[in-house]
mmCIF file of all heavy atoms in Angstrom:
data_model
loop_
_atom_site.group_PDB
_atom_site.id
_atom_site.type_symbol
_atom_site.label_atom_id
_atom_site.label_comp_id
_atom_site.label_asym_id
_atom_site.label_seq_id
_atom_site.Cartn_x
_atom_site.Cartn_y
_atom_site.Cartn_z
ATOM 1 N N THR A 100 -140.333 89.049 -186.252
ATOM 2 C CA THR A 100 -139.891 89.615 -187.525
ATOM 3 C C THR A 100 -138.371 89.469 -187.616
ATOM 4 O O THR A 100 -137.667 89.606 -186.616
ATOM 5 C CB THR A 100 -140.261 91.104 -187.653
ATOM 6 O OG1 THR A 100 -139.738 91.818 -186.533
ATOM 7 C CG2 THR A 100 -141.767 91.292 -187.726
ATOM 8 N N PRO A 101 -137.868 89.198 -188.817
ATOM 9 C CA PRO A 101 -136.414 89.054 -188.961
ATOM 10 C C PRO A 101 -135.716 90.402 -188.793
ATOM 11 O O PRO A 101 -136.213 91.426 -189.252
ATOM 12 C CB PRO A 101 -136.242 88.502 -190.370
ATOM 13 C CG PRO A 101 -137.501 88.812 -191.087
ATOM 14 C CD PRO A 101 -138.584 88.962 -190.066
ATOM 15 N N ALA A 102 -134.572 90.382 -188.131
ATOM 16 C CA ALA A 102 -133.761 91.589 -187.962
ATOM 17 C C ALA A 102 -132.476 91.493 -188.771
ATOM 18 O O ALA A 102 -131.732 92.465 -188.859
ATOM 19 C CB ALA A 102 -133.430 91.799 -186.485
ATOM 20 N N SER A 103 -132.208 90.321 -189.351
ATOM 21 C CA SER A 103 -131.011 90.132 -190.167
ATOM 22 C C SER A 103 -131.239 88.941 -191.078
ATOM 23 O O SER A 103 -132.175 88.176 -190.883
ATOM 24 C CB SER A 103 -129.778 89.872 -189.294
ATOM 25 O OG SER A 103 -129.791 88.537 -188.802
ATOM 26 N N GLY A 104 -130.357 88.804 -192.026
ATOM 27 C CA GLY A 104 -130.283 87.563 -192.784
ATOM 28 C C GLY A 104 -129.397 86.600 -192.006
ATOM 29 O O GLY A 104 -128.909 86.924 -190.926
ATOM 30 N N PRO A 105 -129.170 85.400 -192.561
ATOM 31 C CA PRO A 105 -128.261 84.470 -191.886
ATOM 32 C C PRO A 105 -126.867 85.088 -191.732
ATOM 33 O O PRO A 105 -126.365 85.735 -192.638
ATOM 34 C CB PRO A 105 -128.235 83.255 -192.808
ATOM 35 C CG PRO A 105 -129.523 83.342 -193.567
ATOM 36 C CD PRO A 105 -129.781 84.815 -193.743
ATOM 37 N N LEU A 106 -126.276 84.898 -190.568
ATOM 38 C CA LEU A 106 -124.959 85.440 -190.251
ATOM 39 C C LEU A 106 -124.067 84.315 -189.733
ATOM 40 O O LEU A 106 -124.526 83.195 -189.556
ATOM 41 C CB LEU A 106 -125.079 86.528 -189.167
ATOM 42 C CG LEU A 106 -125.964 87.718 -189.507
ATOM 43 C CD1 LEU A 106 -126.253 88.534 -188.247
ATOM 44 C CD2 LEU A 106 -125.310 88.578 -190.567
ATOM 45 N N GLY A 107 -122.839 84.633 -189.439
ATOM 46 C CA GLY A 107 -121.932 83.654 -188.851
ATOM 47 C C GLY A 107 -121.184 82.856 -189.893
ATOM 48 O O GLY A 107 -121.234 83.130 -191.090
ATOM 49 N N ARG A 108 -120.511 81.838 -189.402
ATOM 50 C CA ARG A 108 -119.731 80.963 -190.278
ATOM 51 C C ARG A 108 -120.642 79.883 -190.844
ATOM 52 O O ARG A 108 -121.648 79.515 -190.227
ATOM 53 C CB ARG A 108 -118.579 80.363 -189.483
ATOM 54 C CG ARG A 108 -117.602 81.444 -188.986
ATOM 55 C CD ARG A 108 -116.447 80.838 -188.225
ATOM 56 N NE ARG A 108 -116.877 80.212 -186.988
ATOM 57 C CZ ARG A 108 -116.728 80.743 -185.780
ATOM 58 N NH1 ARG A 108 -116.165 81.916 -185.644
ATOM 59 N NH2 ARG A 108 -117.134 80.096 -184.712
ATOM 60 N N PRO A 109 -120.308 79.327 -192.002
ATOM 61 C CA PRO A 109 -121.170 78.312 -192.613
ATOM 62 C C PRO A 109 -121.451 77.120 -191.706
ATOM 63 O O PRO A 109 -122.543 76.574 -191.733
ATOM 64 C CB PRO A 109 -120.389 77.876 -193.854
ATOM 65 C CG PRO A 109 -119.508 79.036 -194.177
ATOM 66 C CD PRO A 109 -119.165 79.669 -192.851
ATOM 67 N N HIS A 110 -120.496 76.734 -190.866
ATOM 68 C CA HIS A 110 -120.698 75.577 -189.993
ATOM 69 C C HIS A 110 -121.453 75.948 -188.708
ATOM 70 O O HIS A 110 -121.833 75.071 -187.948
ATOM 71 C CB HIS A 110 -119.355 74.924 -189.642
ATOM 72 C CG HIS A 110 -118.495 75.801 -188.802
ATOM 73 N ND1 HIS A 110 -117.763 76.831 -189.331
ATOM 74 C CD2 HIS A 110 -118.280 75.824 -187.467
ATOM 75 C CE1 HIS A 110 -117.123 77.449 -188.355
ATOM 76 N NE2 HIS A 110 -117.420 76.860 -187.218
ATOM 77 N N ALA A 111 -121.672 77.254 -188.470
ATOM 78 C CA ALA A 111 -122.361 77.690 -187.253
ATOM 79 C C ALA A 111 -123.170 78.956 -187.526
ATOM 80 O O ALA A 111 -122.903 80.015 -186.985
ATOM 81 C CB ALA A 111 -121.358 77.931 -186.134
ATOM 82 N N PRO A 112 -124.187 78.847 -188.395
ATOM 83 C CA PRO A 112 -124.962 80.046 -188.722
ATOM 84 C C PRO A 112 -125.873 80.468 -187.574
ATOM 85 O O PRO A 112 -126.240 79.668 -186.723
ATOM 86 C CB PRO A 112 -125.768 79.614 -189.945
ATOM 87 C CG PRO A 112 -125.946 78.149 -189.766
ATOM 88 C CD PRO A 112 -124.666 77.672 -189.112
ATOM 89 N N PHE A 113 -126.224 81.752 -187.570
ATOM 90 C CA PHE A 113 -127.230 82.262 -186.649
ATOM 91 C C PHE A 113 -127.994 83.361 -187.365
ATOM 92 O O PHE A 113 -127.592 83.851 -188.421
ATOM 93 C CB PHE A 113 -126.614 82.756 -185.334
ATOM 94 C CG PHE A 113 -125.782 84.012 -185.451
ATOM 95 C CD1 PHE A 113 -126.325 85.252 -185.163
ATOM 96 C CD2 PHE A 113 -124.448 83.948 -185.818
ATOM 97 C CE1 PHE A 113 -125.558 86.412 -185.253
ATOM 98 C CE2 PHE A 113 -123.669 85.086 -185.912
ATOM 99 C CZ PHE A 113 -124.226 86.328 -185.618
ATOM 100 N N ARG A 114 -129.142 83.724 -186.807
ATOM 101 C CA ARG A 114 -129.954 84.788 -187.382
ATOM 102 C C ARG A 114 -130.623 85.553 -186.260
ATOM 103 O O ARG A 114 -131.116 84.963 -185.294
ATOM 104 C CB ARG A 114 -131.011 84.224 -188.326
ATOM 105 C CG ARG A 114 -131.756 85.313 -189.078
ATOM 106 C CD ARG A 114 -132.576 84.791 -190.211
ATOM 107 N NE ARG A 114 -133.171 85.898 -190.934
ATOM 108 C CZ ARG A 114 -134.051 85.767 -191.892
ATOM 109 N NH1 ARG A 114 -134.446 84.556 -192.260
ATOM 110 N NH2 ARG A 114 -134.557 86.818 -192.491
ATOM 111 N N VAL A 115 -130.651 86.880 -186.396
ATOM 112 C CA VAL A 115 -131.258 87.755 -185.400
ATOM 113 C C VAL A 115 -132.724 87.985 -185.763
ATOM 114 O O VAL A 115 -133.055 88.240 -186.923
ATOM 115 C CB VAL A 115 -130.508 89.104 -185.322
ATOM 116 C CG1 VAL A 115 -131.118 90.002 -184.251
ATOM 117 C CG2 VAL A 115 -129.016 88.888 -185.079
ATOM 118 N N TRP A 116 -133.583 87.891 -184.742
ATOM 119 C CA TRP A 116 -135.028 88.109 -184.886
ATOM 120 C C TRP A 116 -135.492 89.104 -183.844
ATOM 121 O O TRP A 116 -134.768 89.395 -182.900
ATOM 122 C CB TRP A 116 -135.776 86.782 -184.703
ATOM 123 C CG TRP A 116 -135.595 85.866 -185.874
ATOM 124 C CD1 TRP A 116 -134.542 85.039 -186.123
ATOM 125 C CD2 TRP A 116 -136.486 85.711 -186.962
ATOM 126 N NE1 TRP A 116 -134.722 84.385 -187.303
ATOM 127 C CE2 TRP A 116 -135.912 84.776 -187.843
ATOM 128 C CE3 TRP A 116 -137.716 86.273 -187.286
ATOM 129 C CZ2 TRP A 116 -136.533 84.384 -189.020
ATOM 130 C CZ3 TRP A 116 -138.332 85.888 -188.460
ATOM 131 C CH2 TRP A 116 -137.750 84.953 -189.316
#
Side-chain angles (χ1 to χ4, degrees):
T100 55
S103 76
L106 301 167
R108 297 181 294 257
H110 67 281
F113 69 97
R114 187 167 184 187
V115 182
W116 287 82

